[in-house]
Amino acid sequence: MIARPTAHAGGPYDAASLPRLQMSFRAVGEPVREPASKFGGQPVWLEEPMWPVHPDTGKPLVFVGQFRVPGDEVRLAYLFLHEEDRDMASEPETGDAVVIIQPEGRVPSFAVVGPPGTQGRSLWRWGADETEIPVEWLVDLSPVPGDLDAEADRHAEWARFMRGEGPEVDFPEGDGPADFLGGTAIYPNLRARGVDRPWQFLCQFEDRGEEADLGDPFFLNFGYGSGFIFVSPDRREGRFFSDCS
């Protein structure tokens, strides 16, 4: 299942695609070679490989995952992040968080792509002795249950009110979904910091995996927050930022 573009989103606070779909993670027995949404493993490039590097050090960024972009054409958004001392990048236009889109995508102006053959680490989980264990998880998409979907919309309505963009509504008491694609996002601090119009929300996912014994599928550290991927209206360029409350 994949969400369908709504064709009327004006920015990161609107639903660029519907329905909102919940992400669940499925372990794989062999490397994924199809253009499917996934965390970890190696990128399944649709064109020539384009591995970004850190603009200051030239160190290859970590491949976090690839995500199907809603639409009739098969299009992937590849996410790469800088990691240092268990901290991961969170700023949208510094070059240490890069979204590459293929096919026929545009490389962001701030991104630095390594020379042919560049390859860095992919996502991992922590072993008991703090070794990095590479992982690969396919993403299955299913409709968000009705109560969670409604709660996510209540969070979005309250955020609009707090930004002065909508009528007054009560503070939502429940939690919305944590990992999902499509619909409207749930921003910890109400705003898509550093990402404005015309960028459109694609998906969000929680950080996890700081302790080896918790059984988390992989390690991501956004300060106990969430990461957000956005695409341009023509679906050829992307942005990422993370935030925590």
Side-chain angles (χ1 to χ4, degrees):
M1 174 176 281
I2 190 167
R4 308 301 303 178
T6 61
H8 62 257
Y13 305 118
D14 304 317
S17 61
L18 288 171
R20 182 184 284 113
L21 299 176
Q22 186 165 271
M23 293 182 180
S24 59
F25 312 123
R26 174 164 48 96
V28 299
E30 57 185 31
V32 174
R33 305 190 189 280
E34 300 299 319
S37 296
K38 66 178 186 128
F39 285 88
Q42 291 297 310
V44 180
W45 298 107
L46 300 179
E47 295 178 332
E48 290 298 313
M50 304 180 69
W51 201 295
V53 301
H54 194 280
D56 296 331
T57 67
K59 180 180 178 181
L61 303 184
V62 176
F63 173 63
V64 172
Q66 63 189 37
F67 307 90
R68 279 286 304 270
V69 178
D72 294 330
E73 182 180 11
V74 175
R75 191 176 297 276
L76 290 176
Y78 307 85
L79 175 62
F80 297 84
L81 299 178
H82 175 61
E83 183 273 334
E84 187 171 3
D85 298 329
R86 298 200 182 193
D87 289 329
M88 290 187 164
S90 60
E91 299 300 328
E93 296 190 357
T94 60
D96 54 4
V98 175
V99 178
I100 298 290
I101 292 182
Q102 290 187 354
E104 300 178 349
R106 295 186 297 271
V107 176
S109 60
F110 53 82
V112 178
V113 174
T118 297
Q119 184 172 321
R121 295 182 296 168
S122 65
L123 206 58
W124 68 90
R125 65 177 175 85
W126 293 112
D129 56 355
E130 296 197 350
T131 56
E132 295 181 8
I133 301 174
V135 298
E136 187 169 23
W137 296 83
L138 278 168
V139 172
D140 291 326
L141 297 172
S142 59
V144 174
D147 55 342
L148 278 180
D149 197 40
E151 192 65 22
D153 286 338
R154 284 191 284 270
H155 277 271
E157 291 167 2
W158 185 72
R160 289 192 191 97
F161 160 61
M162 294 298 292
R163 293 193 303 267
E165 300 170 359
E168 182 175 359
V169 295
D170 293 333
F171 177 77
E173 296 294 338
D175 295 326
D179 310 296
F180 62 91
L181 181 149
T184 50
I186 302 174
Y187 300 112
N189 291 294
L190 310 179
R191 296 181 180 276
R193 177 174 45 81
V195 181
D196 207 339
R197 292 174 182 266
W199 300 105
Q200 299 178 349
F201 171 70
L202 175 64
C203 62
Q204 76 175 77
F205 39 86
E206 281 188 331
D207 64 2
R208 48 179 39 95
E210 291 211 43
E211 301 294 336
D213 59 356
L214 293 181
D216 288 313
F218 45 76
F219 167 76
L220 285 172
N221 181 15
F222 305 137
Y224 299 103
S226 293
F228 303 82
I229 298 178
F230 306 85
V231 296
S232 58
D234 63 3
R235 286 154 168 69
R236 297 184 187 278
E237 191 171 342
R239 292 289 186 274
F240 172 86
F241 95 102
S242 66
D243 204 5
C244 59
S245 57

